[in-house]
Amino acid sequence: MRRFSIVVAGGGSTFTPGIILMLLDNLDKLPIRKIKFYDNDADRQAIIAGACEIIIKERAPEIEFYATTDPKEAFTDVDFVMAHIRVGKYAMRELDEKIPLKYDVVGQETCGPGGIAYGMRSIGGVIEILDYMEKYSPDAWMLNYSNPAAIVAEATRRLRPNSKILNICDMPIDIESRMAKILGLESRKELSVRYYGLNHFGWWTDVRDKDGNDLMPRIKEHVSKYGYVVTDGSAQHSDASWDDAFAKAKDVFAMDPETLPNTYLKYYLFPDYVVKHSNKEYTRANEVMDGREKFVFGECKKIIENNSTEGCAMGIDEHASYIVDLARAIAYNTKERMLLIVENNGAISNFDPTAMVEIPCLVGSNGPEPLVMGKIPQFQKGLMEEQVSVEKLVVEAWIEKSYQKLWQALTLSKTVPSASVAKLILDDLIEVNKEYWPELN
Ligand code: NAD
Ligand code: G6P
Ligand code: MN
């Protein structure tokens, strides 16, 4: 049986150990001969890599493992690049969130001005990794979680249209797991869904079990009362701020009871509520640094100190399972139905064919075969046209180094009240992103 070689780009990510544990748990389904880590921060990566080396030695000593900051070493002889980089790390995420909040505008990792700022940093980083892959392993596939996925996907569509990159998101997966819990089902894999939208900006129109029974009414009844809050939620999205996002889905759902919404729509439909419930001095970035980052790095240091994983509290979650399923779909041509961010090309018939949309696809060795979602209603179409224009303008601004277009992008975002506020935020963002953004003219 063929065994695969994988490089994790952003080896120092807090999500890396979860992915390694997931890969090791599924070696019967996806056999592996080599795992490499690549990061541009050697010290950060060394802690995660030190622990993962011990994990791999304990569970699958036959797998070759090493971590590197050298692109040639990292990207030579690989079948899959699993990427989750964060250009500028949490320090810049904190600024993305806090600068808009200064002006009473949503401060969020991937939505509004913060997401735009992050996009301007990510485009170069993701393209660089894609180019390394194509240079050193031209047959490989890049499976990309790096955010903001909507902007990254539009950038790779524009700049590397023929590259083998698949952009993915775990939010619908978590919500579908919650739907399964609401229904009393074992797993989200028992569901078959129709869904359309942009990344972090979409709606379910149909949820069925494998026998074709319509499950929407029972889910809607729950969501109309509790949003997506379930008693036994995910390990990944378990902090109080996430609970609030799942609860707020109740109000988002009320806007259109025909569909079931993605949690992220709250930032666009209820920005005033979000700002009111934000702490301008302590945002999600602070929560993550004090929570997930401390936990993961703490556990990794313990593993290294003890030279053993005994008592280790790190586990695998749906986030990791999705990227492994995707690799399997490509490796074995499984034609699994998965949500991916792909070029619209008529799948949403009354929407820009060049937009990068999130829709179900059948995934096989040749990549994704998008499924037709048909015509969408005026409300969603209007929202999506505005948001996709923001995303396209950001990519144009990055390519053309255009201040004007970036100002237009910020102004067009539904989270920003006016062109003057957009300008104030933009000028602050430029100041702190000098090291990462192209110089705008
Ligand atoms: P993190 O900061 O812990 O990890 C990111 C790593 O990327 C760091 O070790 C950093 O040094 C490295 N890095 C930064 N720029 C790089 C570059 N140019 N080349 C190589 N490495 C680079 O962040 P995290 O919270 O673990 O998240 C990682 C990424 O995954 C983020 O982009 C996050 O938004 C994304 N994410 C996406 C989804 C999704 O649904 N698409 C879900 C979860 C996380
Ligand atoms: C969800 C989204 C990701 C996002 C993450 C943020 O999983 O799908 O795109 O990066 O949430 O989580 P965090 O815990 O870092 O705020
Ligand atoms: Mn996401």
Side-chain angles (χ1 to χ4, degrees):
M1 203 185 214
R2 184 168 170 210
R3 292 159 75 219
F4 296 92
S5 169
I6 293 170
V7 60
V8 178
S13 158
T14 57
F15 291 103
T16 296
I19 288 181
I20 296 310
L21 290 168
M22 189 74 202
L23 287 170
L24 296 178
D25 223 38
N26 283 278
L27 289 173
D28 53 332
K29 300 196 193 97
L30 187 77
I32 296 174
R33 63 186 162 87
K34 197 195 279 191
I35 297 176
K36 298 186 272 186
F37 286 1
Y38 169 76
D39 203 289
N40 64 0
D41 180 339
D43 295 343
R44 185 179 176 89
Q45 174 165 264
I47 298 164
I48 305 286
C52 287
E53 185 171 10
I54 293 163
I55 297 175
I56 293 169
K57 237 185 233 141
E58 282 183 6
R59 304 211 186 157
E62 71 282 5
I63 295 177
E64 183 186 344
F65 173 80
Y66 60 88
T68 177
T69 54
D70 177 65
K72 185 169 181 213
E73 262 179 35
F75 292 91
T76 301
D77 180 33
V78 298
D79 301 299
F80 294 105
V81 177
M82 296 187 176
H84 50 202
I85 62 166
R86 184 186 291 285
V87 178
K89 292 177 274 192
Y90 294 128
M92 290 310 296
R93 175 176 181 175
E94 187 177 4
L95 292 168
D96 290 346
E97 292 170 351
K98 289 186 177 172
I99 288 171
L101 276 174
K102 259 185 17 193
Y103 302 96
D104 288 325
V105 168
V106 168
Q108 214 280 325
E109 179 196 24
T110 63
C111 303
I116 293 173
Y118 187 13
M120 290 289 287
R121 293 196 301 276
S122 279
I123 294 172
V126 170
I127 296 271
E128 184 179 75
I129 286 173
L130 192 52
D131 287 350
Y132 290 144
M133 177 183 92
E134 295 194 329
K135 178 166 177 197
Y136 298 115
S137 288
D139 294 329
W141 281 87
M142 177 162 165
L143 314 181
N144 183 50
Y145 261 131
S146 312
N147 265 322
I151 291 171
V152 165
E154 169 63 8
T156 53
R157 184 192 73 83
R158 281 288 303 271
L159 298 167
R160 300 290 184 273
N162 302 315
S163 60
K164 293 204 275 186
I165 179 170
L166 292 176
N167 294 292
I168 53 174
C169 174
D170 63 12
M171 194 74 261
I173 304 319
D174 188 323
I175 296 173
E176 286 172 19
S177 299
R178 285 161 186 268
M179 290 177 182
K181 284 199 182 103
I182 290 166
L183 296 161
L185 299 175
E186 280 284 303
S187 149
R188 64 174 168 83
K189 293 201 175 181
E190 293 174 49
L191 306 176
S192 180
V193 309
R194 290 174 71 85
Y195 178 95
Y196 69 83
L198 310 168
N199 178 237
H200 290 181
F201 206 97
W203 295 265
W204 283 265
T205 57
D206 196 54
V207 181
R208 283 172 198 269
D209 63 20
K210 294 294 182 217
D211 298 324
N213 296 307
D214 182 5
L215 305 173
M216 288 285 272
R218 278 166 66 200
I219 306 170
K220 284 180 180 176
E221 196 194 321
H222 181 98
V223 174
S224 71
K225 290 190 202 132
Y226 315 109
Y228 295 113
V229 175
V230 289
T231 39
D232 168 25
S234 72
Q236 187 192 343
H237 300 111
S238 57
D239 291 338
S241 54
W242 271 109
D243 280 342
D244 182 70
F246 292 118
K248 192 67 185 167
K250 171 187 169 184
D251 297 333
V252 181
F253 169 68
M255 279 301 303
D256 176 25
E258 295 297 305
T259 57
L260 287 163
N262 191 300
T263 38
Y264 276 91
L265 288 160
K266 79 164 182 171
Y267 296 108
Y268 302 94
L269 298 175
F270 299 99
D272 47 352
Y273 164 90
V274 169
V275 170
K276 216 169 115 197
H277 288 81
S278 299
N279 180 343
K280 295 181 182 185
E281 266 85 55
Y282 192 86
T283 58
R284 178 66 190 154
N286 301 109
E287 208 174 61
V288 171
M289 286 186 269
D290 291 341
R292 185 173 68 238
E293 188 183 39
K294 275 220 174 86
F295 170 72
V296 169
F297 280 79
E299 288 299 300
C300 284
K301 282 176 191 158
K302 265 193 257 166
I303 292 175
I304 295 169
E305 258 169 46
N306 302 337
N307 195 21
S308 154
T309 63
E310 218 184 290
C312 167
M314 284 189 299
I316 29 187
D317 51 38
E318 291 287 3
H319 170 89
S321 77
Y322 202 61
I323 200 164
V324 174
D325 285 345
L326 184 57
R328 269 179 50 74
I330 293 168
Y332 299 119
N333 202 30
T334 64
K335 300 288 166 108
E336 183 167 342
R337 185 171 169 146
M338 306 181 83
L339 292 186
L340 299 177
I341 304 162
V342 293
E343 188 161 357
N344 182 25
N345 243 327
I348 301 171
S349 57
N350 55 340
F351 195 62
D352 184 346
T354 72
M356 293 303 282
V357 295
E358 197 164 299
I359 49 174
C361 301
L362 304 182
V363 189
S365 301
N366 282 332
E369 296 169 55
L371 299 175
V372 170
M373 292 294 110
K375 199 169 165 210
I376 61 172
Q378 197 67 49
F379 176 62
Q380 278 82 1
K381 185 166 175 276
L383 288 168
M384 280 167 62
E385 273 169 357
E386 181 180 64
Q387 178 60 20
V388 84
S389 300
V390 172
E391 291 157 7
K392 283 180 177 289
L393 281 165
V394 173
V395 172
E396 285 177 22
W398 189 87
I399 294 171
E400 297 165 24
K401 305 184 178 20
S402 165
Y403 180 97
Q404 196 74 41
K405 287 199 167 164
L406 203 54
W407 183 24
Q408 290 172 353
L410 269 121
T411 303
L412 201 53
S413 173
K414 198 166 169 52
T415 59
V416 176
S418 77
S420 49
V421 173
K423 198 171 207 317
L424 290 169
I425 296 174
L426 176 57
D427 290 343
D428 284 8
L429 288 172
I430 288 174
E431 205 44 47
V432 300
N433 276 286
K434 284 211 169 103
E435 202 188 312
Y436 302 101
W437 288 8
E439 198 179 333
L440 304 177
N441 38 54

